[in-house]
Amino acid sequence: MTVTNKEDIRKSRMYARQQLIDGWDQEIVSKGCVMIVGVGALGCEIAKDFALMGIGKIVLVDLDTIETSNLSRQMLFKPGDEGRPKAEVAAERLKDMNPFLNVDFYFEKLQKLAMSVYEECDVIIAALDNFNARLDLNKICLRIKKPMVEGGTVGFEGHVQVVIPKDSGLEYKNREFEIENVVDTKMWEYDNPEYLDAQKEIEQLEYLIERLKQEKLEPFRRLVRKQVEEEFDKKYAEDVINITPCYRCLVPIPPADDKLVAACTLKGLPRNRNHCVIKAEVIFEKEYGFKPDMNVDDDVVNLKALAQKELEALRGRVFKENVSEEKLETLTPEEITEWKENIKDTFGEDYKFEEMENILGNKIAAIQSVSSIISSIQSQEALKLLFRLHGRNIGPPMDPPYINYNGVYGQFDQLHITKRGDCLACGDIEGEENIHLVVPFDADIGYIFKAMRIVGHEIEPILWMITNPVNKEMYWNPYMSGEFKDPTIKLTTLKIKSNDIVTLTPLGKAKVESEIKKYNVIITFM
Ligand SMILES: [Zn+2]
């Protein structure tokens, strides 16, 4: 492979992270056009989002000029811009942010724009500050059948409305779901006696349930409540009112460190796409004496060749595993090709460099639109806490203290989380640690200590004992002799299965010196 087009590589690099999102197609974004009407606080933020995400074109419309009071919110403007048209300055800054972007701007009333300007856009975003402009824009969008996303804020509150006009070519509601809705309504319209009887019976049962609650549960409930009220302050208040679960409460056993996977890959055979790249990096380092730098084109090219070789070897191995020698003889050339194509599909196409970068950097899919929602919520919560710390109340911290935002459905879910009594960070347990180790299938006892070192727990084999926490069987005891002191005994020989837990406890001076008095180690074979 030769690196032919530097600009394309740069572009690819810019958008590498969002490409990781399931179903993402940068092409669609690069050809898209959005109009943003109103380049104020919302408009700047939205324009910035789309510029960063690599939209093909942005059309900005705003008839205002920049004022000093704008500078506390509208991040596309800076001191010294005062007096200049917002749309024009925003266009410049967006171009600085993303040189591949096309921006048209209109320092003009939205009502005066030519219809052709609207028609060029895929989506129209209203980021306006007054009703009349919104009403006029709404009318225009309905007339030209363009979807509009309207938004506004007042103080700490805000809203978003999605408007999809008739005949826009977009489907708003889900067809299946709507069919079910109509079916539910229609069922009442038929005088089907069985259906009506069943409904009646359900109503009666519901009535009965309600009556039982009132007659039997409520009196008892009132009694218990009185008792709880009396002891609440002493017994529960501290845990319930003033503390939240900590982060570790939600992650009692952190997932295995990636360095362990890399260490296993060195010995073992890659089983998937990611392993191939990790192994390629190891081979690269061995061959060239340094780690590949993903910003150096030559390194990328060489790494890609190595990963590609591993990927092809993997495809070959899987073919052999699935098609035995005898079976191969019975297959036609077409069938063999089909097998190979299927395997190719399973493990994916040839690598692109941004994918390798994502794998090696252990990157997580990310996109600006969701980032700004989440970061904004964090700022909001921090702001409230800051006020509280200084004795002022502008609102309580969110309750429950955990919120999930689902950008696919546009849904916020408040999740109830609980404080763990056995939390290693905030619970009653002290001096314990839970570790998840990934080890090669042929690992021995000595490898456990090696893996512990890899994840940053430097413990000396001669000062630690390994046992089975369930049946107390001894796996390693440096104070004993023979098999208990043989680091080369395979874990499988000791009948340790994948995802079994073993316990590491200190001996001798480690008993005194080690902060951790017990490691609970989950062992997963790779
Ligand atoms: Zn905790």
Side-chain angles (χ1 to χ4, degrees):
M1 190 200 98
T2 54
V3 179
T4 46
N5 191 332
K6 281 197 172 162
E7 193 158 275
D8 279 350
I9 288 202
R10 195 152 158 248
K11 240 179 176 173
S12 263
R13 264 195 192 122
M14 274 176 69
Y15 307 131
R17 295 282 288 278
Q18 59 202 34
Q19 312 250 26
L20 287 172
I21 288 167
D22 252 356
W24 184 265
D25 184 350
Q26 189 62 39
E27 267 301 285
I28 293 175
V29 183
S30 313
K31 287 183 180 148
C33 173
V34 294
M35 176 187 274
I36 298 165
V37 190
V39 191
L42 290 174
C44 279
E45 198 71 39
I46 297 162
K48 168 261 299 172
D49 286 345
F50 280 98
L52 291 173
M53 289 186 278
I55 187 88
K57 184 169 181 177
I58 294 178
V59 179
L60 300 172
V61 184
D62 197 302
L63 49 66
D64 282 338
T65 52
I66 298 164
E67 292 169 21
T68 307
S69 68
N70 298 150
L71 301 179
S72 66
R73 295 177 308 286
Q74 303 170 22
M75 39 57 126
L76 295 176
F77 314 137
K78 57 184 187 194
D81 288 336
E82 289 93 331
R84 294 185 61 199
K86 285 186 173 180
E88 183 187 13
V89 177
E92 286 172 15
R93 302 286 143 75
L94 293 171
K95 287 288 287 178
D96 285 346
M97 220 176 258
N98 186 343
F100 302 113
L101 178 73
N102 284 310
V103 192
D104 283 354
F105 65 90
Y106 297 91
F107 179 39
E108 179 67 279
K109 272 186 133 145
L110 70 97
Q111 296 86 342
K112 291 222 170 120
L113 284 188
M115 277 307 132
S116 56
V117 178
Y118 286 101
E119 267 153 4
E120 192 198 359
C121 305
D122 299 307
V123 183
I124 303 192
I125 301 171
L128 294 157
D129 59 0
N130 70 83
F131 283 108
N132 287 332
R134 284 188 174 98
L135 291 172
D136 286 343
L137 184 62
N138 183 58
K139 213 191 284 176
I140 292 168
C141 291
L142 292 176
R143 194 188 321 146
I144 61 167
K145 303 178 176 58
K146 291 280 179 188
M148 175 174 87
V149 180
E150 207 277 303
T153 60
V154 180
F156 277 177
E157 293 183 43
H159 74 273
V160 176
Q161 183 185 0
V162 176
V163 179
I164 296 178
K166 193 163 175 250
D167 297 327
S168 69
L170 287 162
E171 192 182 65
Y172 175 52
K173 297 248 180 175
N174 176 284
R175 189 165 181 277
E176 262 319 297
F177 183 80
E178 290 309 308
I179 288 176
E180 284 301 314
N181 262 348
V182 177
V183 170
D184 282 345
T185 323
K186 260 200 130 78
M187 279 170 83
W188 284 105
E189 292 172 12
Y190 294 99
D191 275 335
N192 180 327
E194 260 180 50
Y195 177 73
L196 294 175
D197 283 351
Q199 286 292 358
K200 214 175 189 176
E201 207 174 320
I202 288 169
E203 270 171 35
Q204 280 165 355
L205 286 171
E206 279 168 352
Y207 172 76
L208 189 63
I209 290 168
E210 193 46 40
R211 214 184 67 195
L212 279 172
K213 271 191 193 161
Q214 289 303 332
E215 285 176 9
K216 307 286 175 200
L217 297 189
E218 274 308 313
F220 181 54
R221 195 190 154 76
R222 277 195 291 273
L223 204 75
V224 176
R225 191 189 152 95
K226 209 174 152 229
Q227 211 182 334
V228 171
E229 266 180 5
E230 275 164 18
E231 55 187 23
F232 186 82
D233 287 337
K234 216 163 49 198
K235 212 169 161 186
Y236 301 98
E238 194 195 343
D239 282 350
V240 183
I241 296 183
N242 297 331
I243 331 179
T244 65
C246 79
Y247 179 74
R248 185 72 197 250
C249 285
L250 308 189
V251 194
I253 305 162
D257 197 302
D258 281 319
K259 281 180 245 149
L260 289 170
V261 177
C264 290
T265 317
L266 194 61
K267 291 185 90 183
L269 294 169
R271 303 295 306 170
N272 63 36
R273 239 180 129 65
N274 289 17
H275 293 171
C276 290
V277 178
I278 294 167
K279 180 145 192 179
E281 191 192 31
V282 174
I283 300 171
F284 183 105
E285 204 180 342
K286 255 191 181 164
E287 229 166 83
Y288 299 96
F290 55 90
K291 272 190 186 269
D293 180 347
M294 298 308 279
N295 295 310
V296 175
D297 292 342
D298 281 344
D299 286 11
V300 173
V301 173
N302 291 332
L303 181 71
K304 194 179 145 176
L306 289 170
Q308 197 61 39
K309 212 169 121 192
E310 289 296 326
L311 184 65
E312 271 152 33
L314 170 64
R315 288 175 187 155
R317 274 198 307 279
V318 173
F319 180 79
K320 270 196 185 149
E321 277 167 23
N322 283 285
V323 184
S324 61
E325 289 289 333
E326 302 94 72
K327 196 171 172 185
L328 189 60
E329 282 168 23
T330 67
L331 295 179
T332 64
E334 289 79 33
E335 284 171 323
I336 293 175
T337 315
E338 202 190 323
W339 262 106
K340 289 190 170 165
E341 282 304 313
N342 279 341
I343 290 170
K344 222 171 167 176
D345 281 350
T346 309
F347 292 104
E349 306 160 36
D350 296 353
Y351 291 105
K352 294 199 175 92
F353 83 92
E354 69 265 22
E355 185 193 356
M356 295 192 297
E357 195 176 21
N358 283 329
I359 293 170
L360 293 179
N362 191 28
K363 296 283 162 47
I364 296 161
I367 190 163
Q368 178 57 32
S369 51
V370 174
S371 303
S372 55
I373 290 168
I374 299 303
S375 58
S376 307
I377 295 173
Q378 288 177 296
S379 314
Q380 173 69 3
E381 290 305 311
L383 178 71
K384 288 188 293 179
L385 292 176
L386 180 71
F387 271 81
R388 297 211 138 202
L389 285 171
H390 292 276
R392 293 283 291 273
N393 181 15
I394 53 168
M398 63 181 187
D399 178 25
Y402 195 102
I403 194 164
N404 240 345
Y405 166 69
N406 184 325
V408 177
Y409 300 107
Q411 190 175 323
F412 283 99
D413 286 313
Q414 299 179 303
L415 298 189
H416 285 273
I417 52 174
T418 40
K419 197 164 143 65
R420 293 176 66 108
D422 64 350
C423 176
L424 297 182
C426 75
D428 311 326
I429 292 182
E430 260 175 53
E432 276 194 40
E433 188 49 86
N434 299 337
I435 306 263
H436 187 187
L437 296 181
V438 176
V439 305
F441 63 95
D442 63 344
D444 52 29
I445 276 286
Y447 195 87
I448 292 183
F449 290 103
K450 188 182 161 194
M452 289 292 285
R453 255 200 312 281
I454 292 175
V455 295
H457 293 273
E458 200 72 54
I459 57 174
E460 283 183 64
I462 51 153
L463 289 173
W464 289 76
M465 185 167 77
I466 305 178
T467 50
N468 179 326
V470 182
N471 59 17
K472 308 288 170 211
E473 200 184 316
M474 186 83 66
Y475 295 132
W476 167 264
N477 186 341
Y479 286 11
M480 290 167 83
S481 57
E483 54 180 325
F484 298 118
K485 224 182 148 175
D486 180 2
T488 65
I489 287 195
K490 299 263 185 277
L491 299 184
T492 43
T493 311
L494 294 168
K495 305 225 158 39
I496 295 174
K497 296 185 299 295
S498 201
N499 299 327
D500 274 359
I501 296 175
V502 301
T503 307
L504 273 64
T505 39
L507 301 164
K509 71 170 175 155
K511 218 170 180 172
V512 187
E513 286 171 6
S514 173
E515 220 169 88
I516 289 159
K517 308 298 177 201
K518 186 176 162 199
Y519 283 104
N520 305 301
V521 179
I522 299 188
I523 294 183
T524 303
F525 290 107
M526 201 179 117

